[in-house]
Coordinates of all heavy atoms in Angstrom, one line a residue:
M122 N 67.8 63.5 49.5 CA 67.2 63.0 48.3 C 67.8 61.7 47.9 O 69.0 61.5 48.1 CB 67.4 64.0 47.2 CG 66.7 63.7 45.9 SD 67.1 65.0 44.7 CE 67.1 64.0 43.2
D123 N 67.0 60.8 47.4 CA 67.6 59.5 46.9 C 68.3 59.7 45.6 O 67.7 59.9 44.6 CB 66.4 58.5 46.7 CG 66.9 57.1 46.4 OD1 68.1 57.0 46.1 OD2 66.1 56.2 46.4
K124 N 69.6 59.6 45.6 CA 70.4 59.9 44.4 C 70.4 58.7 43.4 O 71.0 58.8 42.4 CB 71.9 60.2 44.8 CG 71.9 61.6 45.5 CD 73.4 62.0 45.8 CE 73.4 63.4 46.5 NZ 74.7 63.8 46.9
T125 N 69.8 57.6 43.8 CA 69.8 56.5 42.9 C 68.6 56.6 41.9 O 68.5 55.9 41.0 CB 69.6 55.1 43.6 OG1 68.4 55.2 44.3 CG2 70.8 54.9 44.6
K126 N 67.7 57.6 42.1 CA 66.6 57.8 41.3 C 66.6 59.1 40.6 O 66.8 60.1 41.3 CB 65.3 57.6 42.0 CG 65.0 56.1 42.5 CD 63.7 55.9 43.1 CE 63.5 54.5 43.5 NZ 62.3 54.2 44.3
D127 N 66.3 59.2 39.3 CA 66.3 60.4 38.6 C 64.8 60.9 38.7 O 63.9 60.3 38.1 CB 66.7 60.2 37.2 CG 66.8 61.5 36.3 OD1 66.1 62.4 36.7 OD2 67.5 61.5 35.4
P128 N 64.6 62.1 39.3 CA 63.2 62.6 39.4 C 62.6 63.0 38.0 O 61.4 63.1 37.9 CB 63.4 63.9 40.3 CG 64.8 64.3 40.1 CD 65.6 63.0 39.9
N129 N 63.4 63.1 37.0 CA 62.9 63.4 35.7 C 62.4 62.2 34.9 O 61.8 62.3 33.8 CB 64.0 64.1 34.8 CG 64.4 65.4 35.5 OD1 63.6 66.2 35.9 ND2 65.7 65.6 35.6
I130 N 62.6 61.0 35.5 CA 62.1 59.8 34.8 C 60.9 59.3 35.6 O 61.0 59.0 36.8 CB 63.2 58.7 34.8 CG1 64.4 59.2 34.0 CG2 62.7 57.4 34.2 CD1 65.6 58.2 34.0
S131 N 59.7 59.4 34.9 CA 58.5 59.0 35.6 C 58.3 57.5 35.7 O 57.7 57.1 36.7 CB 57.3 59.7 34.9 OG 57.3 59.3 33.6
A132 N 58.7 56.8 34.7 CA 58.4 55.4 34.7 C 59.8 54.7 34.8 O 60.5 54.5 33.8 CB 57.7 55.0 33.4
M133 N 60.1 54.3 36.0 CA 61.4 53.6 36.2 C 61.1 52.2 36.7 O 60.4 52.1 37.7 CB 62.3 54.4 37.1 CG 63.6 53.7 37.4 SD 64.6 54.7 38.5 CE 65.4 55.8 37.4
C134 N 61.6 51.2 36.1 CA 61.4 49.9 36.6 C 62.7 49.4 37.2 O 63.8 49.8 36.8 CB 60.9 48.9 35.5 SG 62.0 48.7 34.2
T135 N 62.6 48.5 38.1 CA 63.8 47.8 38.6 C 63.7 46.3 38.5 O 62.5 45.8 38.5 CB 64.0 48.1 40.1 OG1 62.8 47.8 40.8 CG2 64.4 49.6 40.3
L136 N 64.8 45.7 38.3 CA 64.8 44.2 38.1 C 64.3 43.5 39.3 O 64.8 43.8 40.4 CB 66.2 43.8 37.6 CG 66.3 42.4 37.2 CD1 65.6 42.1 35.9 CD2 67.8 42.1 37.0
A137 N 63.4 42.6 39.2 CA 63.0 41.7 40.3 C 62.9 40.3 39.8 O 62.2 40.1 38.8 CB 61.7 42.2 40.9
V138 N 63.4 39.4 40.5 CA 63.4 38.0 40.2 C 61.9 37.6 40.1 O 61.1 37.8 41.0 CB 64.1 37.1 41.1 CG1 63.9 35.7 40.9 CG2 65.6 37.4 41.0
G139 N 61.6 36.9 39.0 CA 60.3 36.3 38.9 C 59.1 37.2 38.5 O 58.0 36.8 38.6
E140 N 59.4 38.4 38.1 CA 58.3 39.3 37.7 C 57.4 38.6 36.5 O 56.3 38.9 36.4 CB 58.8 40.6 37.3 CG 59.0 41.5 38.5 CD 59.5 42.9 38.1 OE1 60.0 43.1 37.0 OE2 59.3 43.8 38.9
A141 N 58.1 37.9 35.7 CA 57.4 37.2 34.6 C 56.9 35.9 35.0 O 56.3 35.2 34.1 CB 58.4 37.1 33.4
G142 N 57.0 35.5 36.2 CA 56.4 34.2 36.6 C 57.5 33.1 36.6 O 58.5 33.2 35.9
R143 N 57.2 32.1 37.3 CA 58.1 30.9 37.3 C 58.2 30.3 35.9 O 57.1 30.1 35.3 CB 57.7 29.9 38.4 CG 58.0 30.3 39.8 CD 57.9 29.2 40.7 NE 58.5 29.4 42.0 CZ 57.9 30.1 43.0 NH1 56.7 30.6 42.8 NH2 58.5 30.3 44.1
T144 N 59.3 29.9 35.5 CA 59.5 29.3 34.2 C 60.0 27.9 34.3 O 60.0 27.2 33.3 CB 60.5 30.1 33.4 OG1 61.8 30.1 34.1 CG2 60.1 31.5 33.1
G145 N 60.3 27.5 35.5 CA 60.9 26.1 35.6 C 60.1 25.0 35.2 O 60.6 23.9 34.9
D146 N 58.7 25.2 35.1 CA 57.9 24.0 34.8 C 57.6 23.9 33.3 O 57.2 22.9 32.8 CB 56.6 24.1 35.5 CG 55.8 25.4 35.3 OD1 56.4 26.3 34.8 OD2 54.6 25.5 35.7
W147 N 57.9 24.9 32.5 CA 57.8 24.8 31.0 C 59.1 24.9 30.2 O 59.1 24.7 29.0 CB 56.8 25.8 30.5 CG 57.0 27.3 30.7 CD1 56.4 28.0 31.7 CD2 57.9 28.1 30.0 NE1 56.8 29.3 31.6 CE2 57.8 29.4 30.6 CE3 58.8 28.0 29.0 CZ2 58.5 30.5 30.2 CZ3 59.6 29.1 28.6 CH2 59.4 30.3 29.2
R148 N 60.2 25.1 30.9 CA 61.5 25.2 30.2 C 61.8 23.8 29.6 O 61.6 22.8 30.2 CB 62.5 25.5 31.3 CG 63.9 25.7 30.8 CD 64.9 26.0 31.9 NE 64.8 25.0 32.9 CZ 64.5 25.2 34.2 NH1 64.3 26.4 34.6 NH2 64.4 24.2 35.0
S149 N 62.3 23.9 28.3 CA 62.6 22.6 27.6 C 64.1 22.3 27.7 O 64.5 21.2 27.5 CB 62.0 22.6 26.2 OG 62.5 23.7 25.5
F150 N 64.9 23.3 27.9 CA 66.4 23.1 28.0 C 66.8 23.8 29.3 O 66.2 24.8 29.7 CB 67.1 23.7 26.9 CG 67.1 22.9 25.6 CD1 66.0 23.0 24.7 CD2 68.1 22.0 25.4 CE1 66.0 22.2 23.6 CE2 68.0 21.2 24.2 CZ 67.0 21.3 23.3
R151 N 67.8 23.3 29.9 CA 68.4 23.9 31.1 C 69.9 24.1 31.0 O 70.6 23.3 30.4 CB 68.1 23.2 32.4 CG 68.7 21.8 32.5 CD 68.7 21.3 33.9 NE 67.4 21.3 34.5 CZ 67.2 21.6 35.8 NH1 68.2 21.7 36.6 NH2 66.0 21.6 36.3
P152 N 70.4 25.2 31.5 CA 71.8 25.4 31.5 C 72.5 24.6 32.6 O 72.1 24.6 33.8 CB 72.0 26.9 31.7 CG 70.8 27.3 32.5 CD 69.7 26.4 32.1
V153 N 73.6 24.0 32.2 CA 74.4 23.3 33.2 C 75.8 23.9 33.2 O 76.4 24.0 32.1 CB 74.5 21.7 32.9 CG1 75.4 21.0 33.8 CG2 73.1 21.1 32.9
I154 N 76.3 24.3 34.4 CA 77.6 25.0 34.5 C 78.7 24.0 34.8 O 78.6 23.2 35.7 CB 77.5 26.0 35.6 CG1 76.3 27.0 35.4 CG2 78.8 26.8 35.6 CD1 75.9 27.7 36.7
D155 N 79.8 24.1 34.0 CA 81.0 23.3 34.4 C 81.9 24.3 35.1 O 82.6 25.1 34.5 CB 81.6 22.8 33.1 CG 82.9 22.0 33.4 OD1 83.4 22.1 34.5 OD2 83.4 21.3 32.4
H156 N 81.9 24.2 36.4 CA 82.7 25.2 37.2 C 84.2 24.9 37.0 O 85.0 25.8 37.3 CB 82.3 25.0 38.7 CG 80.9 25.5 39.0 ND1 80.5 26.8 38.9 CD2 79.8 24.8 39.3 CE1 79.2 26.9 39.1 NE2 78.8 25.7 39.4
G157 N 84.6 23.8 36.5 CA 86.0 23.6 36.1 C 86.5 24.4 35.0 O 87.6 24.6 34.8
K158 N 85.5 24.9 34.2 CA 85.8 25.8 33.0 C 85.5 27.3 33.3 O 86.0 28.2 32.7 CB 85.1 25.4 31.8 CG 85.5 24.0 31.2 CD 84.6 23.8 30.0 CE 85.0 22.5 29.3 NZ 84.0 22.2 28.2
C159 N 84.6 27.5 34.3 CA 84.1 28.8 34.5 C 85.2 29.7 35.1 O 85.9 29.4 36.0 CB 82.9 28.8 35.5 SG 82.3 30.4 36.0
I160 N 85.4 30.9 34.4 CA 86.6 31.8 34.7 C 86.6 32.2 36.2 O 87.7 32.1 36.8 CB 86.6 32.9 33.7 CG1 86.9 32.4 32.3 CG2 87.6 34.0 34.1 CD1 86.6 33.4 31.2
P161 N 85.6 32.7 36.8 CA 85.6 33.2 38.2 C 86.0 32.0 39.1 O 86.9 32.2 40.1 CB 84.2 33.7 38.5 CG 83.6 34.0 37.2 CD 84.2 33.0 36.2
S162 N 85.5 30.8 38.9 CA 85.9 29.7 39.7 C 87.3 29.3 39.5 O 88.1 29.0 40.4 CB 85.0 28.5 39.4 OG 83.7 28.7 39.8
Q163 N 87.8 29.4 38.2 CA 89.2 29.0 37.9 C 90.1 30.0 38.5 O 91.1 29.6 39.1 CB 89.3 29.0 36.4 CG 88.8 27.8 35.7 CD 89.6 26.5 36.2 OE1 90.8 26.4 36.0 NE2 88.9 25.6 36.8
K164 N 89.8 31.3 38.4 CA 90.7 32.3 38.9 C 90.6 32.7 40.4 O 91.4 33.3 41.0 CB 90.6 33.6 38.1 CG 91.0 33.5 36.6 CD 90.9 34.8 35.9 CE 91.3 34.7 34.5 NZ 92.7 34.4 34.3
G165 N 89.4 32.3 40.9 CA 89.1 32.5 42.4 C 88.9 34.0 42.6 O 89.1 34.5 43.7
R166 N 88.4 34.7 41.6 CA 88.1 36.1 41.8 C 87.0 36.6 40.8 O 86.8 35.9 39.8 CB 89.3 37.0 41.7 CG 90.0 37.0 40.3 CD 91.2 37.9 40.3 NE 92.0 37.6 39.1 CZ 91.8 38.2 37.9 NH1 90.7 39.0 37.8 NH2 92.5 38.0 36.9
S167 N 86.4 37.7 41.1 CA 85.4 38.2 40.2 C 85.9 38.5 38.9 O 86.8 39.4 38.7 CB 84.7 39.5 40.8 OG 84.1 39.2 42.0
A168 N 85.5 37.9 37.8 CA 85.9 38.1 36.5 C 84.8 37.6 35.5 O 84.0 36.7 35.9 CB 87.2 37.3 36.2
C169 N 84.8 38.1 34.3 CA 83.9 37.6 33.3 C 82.5 37.9 33.6 O 82.1 39.0 33.4 CB 84.1 36.1 33.1 SG 83.1 35.5 31.7
F170 N 81.7 37.0 34.2 CA 80.3 37.2 34.5 C 79.5 37.7 33.3 O 78.5 38.4 33.5 CB 80.2 38.2 35.7 CG 80.7 37.8 37.0 CD1 81.3 38.6 37.9 CD2 80.5 36.4 37.4 CE1 81.8 38.2 39.1 CE2 81.0 36.0 38.6 CZ 81.6 36.9 39.5
L171 N 79.9 37.3 32.1 CA 79.1 37.6 30.9 C 77.7 37.0 31.0 O 76.8 37.5 30.4 CB 79.9 37.3 29.6 CG 81.1 38.1 29.3 CD1 81.8 37.6 28.1 CD2 80.7 39.6 29.2
C172 N 77.7 35.8 31.5 CA 76.4 35.1 31.7 C 75.4 36.0 32.5 O 74.2 36.1 32.2 CB 76.6 33.7 32.2 SG 77.5 33.7 33.7
W173 N 75.9 36.5 33.6 CA 75.1 37.4 34.4 C 74.7 38.6 33.7 O 73.6 39.1 33.7 CB 76.0 37.8 35.6 CG 75.5 38.9 36.4 CD1 74.5 38.9 37.4 CD2 75.9 40.3 36.3 NE1 74.3 40.2 37.9 CE2 75.1 41.0 37.2 CE3 76.9 41.0 35.6 CZ2 75.3 42.4 37.4 CZ3 77.0 42.3 35.7 CH2 76.3 43.0 36.6
L174 N 75.6 39.2 32.9 CA 75.4 40.4 32.1 C 74.3 40.2 31.1 O 73.4 41.1 30.9 CB 76.7 40.9 31.5 CG 76.6 42.2 30.7 CD1 76.3 43.4 31.6 CD2 77.9 42.5 29.9
Y175 N 74.4 39.1 30.4 CA 73.5 38.9 29.2 C 72.2 38.2 29.5 O 71.3 38.2 28.7 CB 74.2 38.2 28.1 CG 75.1 39.0 27.3 CD1 76.5 39.0 27.6 CD2 74.7 39.9 26.4 CE1 77.4 39.8 26.9 CE2 75.5 40.8 25.7 CZ 76.9 40.7 25.9 OH 77.7 41.5 25.2
C176 N 72.1 37.5 30.7 CA 70.8 36.8 31.0 C 69.6 37.7 31.0 O 69.6 38.7 31.8 CB 70.9 36.1 32.3 SG 69.4 35.3 32.8
P177 N 68.7 37.5 30.1 CA 67.5 38.5 30.0 C 66.6 38.4 31.2 O 65.8 39.3 31.4 CB 66.8 38.0 28.7 CG 67.2 36.6 28.5 CD 68.6 36.5 29.1
E178 N 66.7 37.3 32.0 CA 65.8 37.1 33.1 C 66.5 37.6 34.4 O 65.8 37.6 35.5 CB 65.4 35.7 33.3 CG 64.6 35.2 32.1 CD 63.4 36.0 31.8 OE1 62.6 36.3 32.7 OE2 63.1 36.3 30.6
G179 N 67.7 37.9 34.4 CA 68.4 38.4 35.6 C 68.5 37.3 36.7 O 68.4 37.6 37.9
V180 N 68.6 36.0 36.2 CA 68.6 34.9 37.2 C 70.0 34.3 37.5 O 70.1 33.4 38.3 CB 67.6 33.8 36.8 CG1 66.2 34.4 36.7 CG2 68.0 33.2 35.4
V181 N 71.0 34.9 36.8 CA 72.4 34.4 37.1 C 72.9 35.3 38.3 O 72.8 36.5 38.2 CB 73.3 34.5 35.9 CG1 74.7 34.1 36.3 CG2 72.8 33.7 34.7
R182 N 73.5 34.7 39.3 CA 74.1 35.4 40.4 C 75.6 35.5 40.2 O 76.2 34.5 40.0 CB 73.8 34.8 41.7 CG 72.3 34.9 42.1 CD 72.1 34.4 43.5 NE 70.6 34.1 43.7 CZ 70.2 32.9 43.5 NH1 71.0 31.8 43.3 NH2 68.9 32.6 43.6
A183 N 76.1 36.7 40.2 CA 77.5 37.0 39.9 C 78.2 36.7 41.2 O 78.5 37.6 42.0 CB 77.7 38.4 39.4
E184 N 78.5 35.5 41.5 CA 79.2 35.1 42.8 C 80.1 34.0 42.4 O 80.1 33.5 41.3 CB 78.2 34.7 43.9 CG 77.2 33.6 43.4 CD 76.0 33.4 44.4 OE1 75.8 34.3 45.2 OE2 75.4 32.4 44.2
I185 N 80.9 33.5 43.3 CA 81.8 32.4 43.1 C 81.5 31.3 44.0 O 81.6 31.4 45.2 CB 83.3 32.9 43.3 CG1 83.6 34.1 42.4 CG2 84.3 31.7 43.0 CD1 85.0 34.7 42.7
P186 N 81.1 30.1 43.4 CA 80.8 29.9 42.0 C 79.5 30.6 41.6 O 78.6 30.8 42.4 CB 80.7 28.4 41.9 CG 80.2 28.0 43.2 CD 80.8 28.9 44.3
I187 N 79.4 30.8 40.3 CA 78.1 31.4 39.8 C 77.0 30.4 40.0 O 77.2 29.2 40.0 CB 78.2 31.8 38.3 CG1 78.4 30.6 37.4 CG2 79.2 32.9 38.1 CD1 78.0 30.9 36.0
T188 N 75.8 31.0 40.2 CA 74.6 30.1 40.4 C 73.5 30.7 39.5 O 73.5 31.9 39.1 CB 74.1 30.0 41.8 OG1 73.9 31.4 42.3 CG2 75.2 29.4 42.7
I189 N 72.6 29.8 39.2 CA 71.4 30.2 38.3 C 70.2 29.8 39.1 O 70.1 28.6 39.6 CB 71.5 29.5 37.0 CG1 72.7 30.0 36.2 CG2 70.2 29.8 36.2 CD1 72.9 29.2 34.9
D190 N 69.2 30.7 39.2 CA 67.9 30.4 39.9 C 67.1 29.6 38.8 O 66.5 30.2 38.0 CB 67.3 31.7 40.3 CG 66.0 31.4 41.1 OD1 65.5 30.3 41.0 OD2 65.5 32.3 41.8
M191 N 67.0 28.3 39.0 CA 66.3 27.5 38.0 C 64.8 27.6 38.1 O 64.1 27.2 37.2 CB 66.7 26.0 38.2 CG 68.2 25.8 37.9 SD 68.8 26.5 36.3 CE 67.9 25.5 35.2
E192 N 64.3 28.3 39.2 CA 62.8 28.5 39.3 C 62.4 29.5 38.2 O 61.2 29.5 37.8 CB 62.5 29.1 40.6 CG 62.6 28.1 41.8 CD 61.3 27.2 41.8 OE1 60.2 27.7 41.7 OE2 61.5 26.0 41.8
Y193 N 63.3 30.3 37.8 CA 63.0 31.4 36.8 C 63.7 31.4 35.5 O 63.4 32.2 34.6 CB 63.1 32.8 37.5 CG 62.2 32.9 38.7 CD1 62.7 32.7 40.0 CD2 60.9 33.2 38.6 CE1 61.8 32.8 41.1 CE2 60.0 33.3 39.6 CZ 60.5 33.1 40.9 OH 59.7 33.2 42.0
C194 N 64.7 30.6 35.4 CA 65.5 30.5 34.2 C 64.5 29.9 33.1 O 63.9 28.9 33.3 CB 66.7 29.5 34.4 SG 67.4 28.9 32.8
K195 N 64.5 30.6 31.9 CA 63.6 30.1 30.9 C 64.3 29.2 29.8 O 63.6 28.8 28.9 CB 62.9 31.3 30.2 CG 63.8 32.2 29.5 CD 63.0 33.4 28.9 CE 63.9 34.4 28.2 NZ 63.2 35.6 27.7
G196 N 65.5 28.9 30.0 CA 66.2 28.0 29.1 C 66.5 28.6 27.8 O 66.6 27.8 26.8
C197 N 66.7 29.9 27.6 CA 66.9 30.5 26.3 C 68.3 30.2 25.7 O 68.5 30.2 24.5 CB 66.7 32.0 26.4 SG 67.9 32.8 27.4
G198 N 69.3 29.9 26.6 CA 70.6 29.5 26.1 C 71.5 30.7 25.8 O 72.6 30.5 25.3
I199 N 71.1 31.9 26.1 CA 71.9 33.1 25.8 C 73.2 33.0 26.6 O 74.3 33.3 26.1 CB 71.2 34.4 26.0 CG1 70.1 34.6 25.0 CG2 72.1 35.6 26.0 CD1 69.1 35.7 25.2
C200 N 73.1 32.6 27.9 CA 74.3 32.5 28.7 C 75.3 31.6 28.1 O 76.5 31.8 28.1 CB 73.9 32.0 30.1 SG 72.9 30.5 30.1
A201 N 74.8 30.4 27.6 CA 75.7 29.5 27.0 C 76.4 30.0 25.7 O 77.6 29.8 25.4 CB 75.0 28.2 26.6
E202 N 75.6 30.8 24.9 CA 76.1 31.4 23.7 C 77.2 32.4 24.0 O 78.2 32.6 23.3 CB 75.0 32.1 23.0 CG 74.0 31.2 22.2 CD 74.7 30.5 21.0 OE1 75.5 31.2 20.3 OE2 74.4 29.3 20.8
E203 N 77.0 33.2 25.1 CA 77.9 34.3 25.4 C 79.1 33.8 26.2 O 80.1 34.6 26.3 CB 77.2 35.4 26.2 CG 76.1 36.1 25.4 CD 76.6 36.8 24.2 OE1 77.7 37.2 24.2 OE2 75.8 37.0 23.2
C204 N 79.1 32.7 26.8 CA 80.2 32.2 27.7 C 81.5 32.0 26.8 O 81.5 31.2 26.0 CB 79.8 31.0 28.4 SG 81.2 30.3 29.4
P205 N 82.5 32.8 27.1 CA 83.8 32.7 26.3 C 84.5 31.4 26.7 O 85.4 31.0 25.9 CB 84.6 33.9 26.8 CG 84.1 34.2 28.1 CD 82.7 33.8 28.2
A206 N 84.2 30.7 27.8 CA 84.9 29.5 28.2 C 84.2 28.3 27.9 O 84.6 27.2 28.2 CB 85.3 29.6 29.7
K207 N 83.0 28.4 27.2 CA 82.2 27.3 26.9 C 81.9 26.4 28.2 O 81.9 25.2 28.2 CB 82.8 26.4 25.8 CG 83.1 27.1 24.5 CD 81.8 27.4 23.8 CE 82.1 28.2 22.5 NZ 81.2 29.3 22.3
A208 N 81.6 27.2 29.3 CA 81.4 26.5 30.6 C 80.0 26.2 30.8 O 79.6 25.5 31.8 CB 81.9 27.4 31.7
I209 N 79.1 26.6 29.9 CA 77.6 26.4 30.1 C 77.1 25.5 28.9 O 77.3 25.9 27.8 CB 76.8 27.7 30.2 CG1 77.3 28.5 31.4 CG2 75.3 27.3 30.4 CD1 76.6 29.8 31.6
T210 N 76.5 24.4 29.3 CA 75.9 23.5 28.2 C 74.4 23.5 28.4 O 74.0 23.4 29.6 CB 76.5 22.1 28.4 OG1 77.9 22.2 28.4 CG2 76.0 21.2 27.2
M211 N 73.7 23.6 27.4 CA 72.2 23.5 27.4 C 71.8 22.0 27.3 O 72.2 21.4 26.3 CB 71.5 24.3 26.4 CG 71.8 25.8 26.5 SD 71.4 26.6 28.1 CE 69.7 26.5 28.1
V212 N 71.1 21.5 28.2 CA 70.7 20.1 28.1 C 69.2 20.0 28.2 O 68.5 20.8 28.8 CB 71.3 19.2 29.3 CG1 72.8 19.2 29.2 CG2 70.9 19.7 30.6
K213 N 68.6 19.0 27.5 CA 67.2 18.9 27.5 C 66.6 18.5 28.9 O 67.2 17.7 29.6 CB 66.8 17.8 26.5 CG 66.2 18.3 25.3 CD 65.7 17.2 24.3 CE 65.2 17.9 23.1 NZ 65.0 17.0 22.0
E214 N 65.5 19.1 29.2 CA 64.8 18.8 30.4 C 64.1 17.4 30.3 O 63.7 17.1 29.2 CB 63.7 19.8 30.7 CG 64.2 21.2 31.2 CD 64.7 21.2 32.6 OE1 64.7 20.1 33.3 OE2 65.0 22.3 33.1
E215 N 64.1 16.7 31.3 CA 63.3 15.4 31.3 C 61.9 15.7 30.9 O 61.3 16.7 31.4 CB 63.4 14.7 32.6 CG 64.7 14.0 32.8 CD 64.8 13.3 34.1 OE1 63.7 12.8 34.6 OE2 65.9 13.1 34.7
G216 N 61.3 14.9 30.1 CA 59.9 15.1 29.7 C 59.7 16.0 28.5 O 58.6 16.2 28.0
H217 N 60.9 16.5 28.0 CA 60.8 17.3 26.8 C 61.6 16.6 25.7 O 62.4 17.2 25.0 CB 61.4 18.7 27.0 CG 60.5 19.6 27.8 ND1 59.5 20.3 27.3 CD2 60.4 19.7 29.2 CE1 58.8 21.0 28.2 NE2 59.3 20.6 29.4
E218 N 61.4 15.3 25.5 CA 62.2 14.5 24.5 C 61.7 14.8 23.1 O 60.6 15.2 22.9 CB 62.0 13.0 24.8 CG 62.4 12.6 26.2 CD 63.8 13.1 26.6 OE1 64.7 13.1 25.8 OE2 64.0 13.6 27.8
Ligands
SF4_571 S1 69.2 30.0 29.9 FE1 68.5 32.1 29.5 S2 67.3 32.6 31.3 FE2 68.5 30.8 31.9 S3 70.3 31.5 32.9 FE3 70.8 31.3 30.7 S4 70.4 33.3 29.8 FE4 69.3 33.2 31.8
SF4_572 S1 80.2 33.6 31.1 FE1 81.0 31.5 31.3 S2 83.1 31.8 32.2 FE2 82.0 33.7 32.4 S3 81.2 33.6 34.5 FE3 79.6 32.8 33.1 S4 79.9 30.6 33.0 FE4 81.7 31.5 33.9

């Protein structure tokens, strides 16, 4: 039996990149990471990853250095808000002046 699935739960969804469609063409702000401030990059080990935890689109990859799939990032800025090291800055996309 697959122990990762609860048979008592009939409607179970799993996160998949891009289920809501690509967002990269309408995003007005984009997150820019300063890896010089980012804790995992600084420490050289898995740590923090709050941006990965809080991103509602699941597009932050918890790796070193962290990366963001800009095809699907909607530019909400939650990652920047939650980052304790202020390593993420939201900048305006070109064409959204
Ligand atoms: S801006 Fe929003 S969607 Fe994009 S990586 Fe940050 S939290 Fe995720
Ligand atoms: S929340 Fe900030 S410090 Fe933590 S992994 Fe993300 S970018 Fe790096």
Side-chain angles (χ1 to χ4, degrees):
M122 184 182 148
D123 185 351
K124 292 186 177 175
T125 62
K126 291 185 179 174
D127 185 336
N129 298 314
I130 299 175
S131 57
M133 179 180 274
C134 63
T135 54
L136 187 67
V138 170
E140 278 182 340
R143 284 192 166 84
T144 56
D146 56 349
W147 57 257
R148 183 183 54 236
S149 55
F150 283 86
R151 68 163 48 216
V153 175
I154 307 161
D155 181 347
H156 293 290
K158 291 181 181 174
C159 178
I160 293 167
S162 291
Q163 283 294 300
K164 294 187 180 290
R166 62 184 169 80
S167 295
C169 186
F170 293 142
L171 289 178
C172 51
W173 165 81
L174 182 67
Y175 283 102
C176 174
E178 300 302 315
V180 296
V181 178
R182 290 189 201 95
E184 55 193 14
I185 305 173
I187 63 160
T188 57
I189 296 173
D190 185 343
M191 298 309 292
E192 287 283 309
Y193 298 99
C194 164
K195 64 183 177 185
C197 65
I199 292 173
C200 53
E202 285 290 322
E203 296 297 334
C204 176
K207 303 288 177 224
I209 301 179
T210 306
M211 300 303 293
V212 299
K213 251 185 184 166
E214 288 281 6
E215 284 183 27
H217 287 273
E218 305 308 322

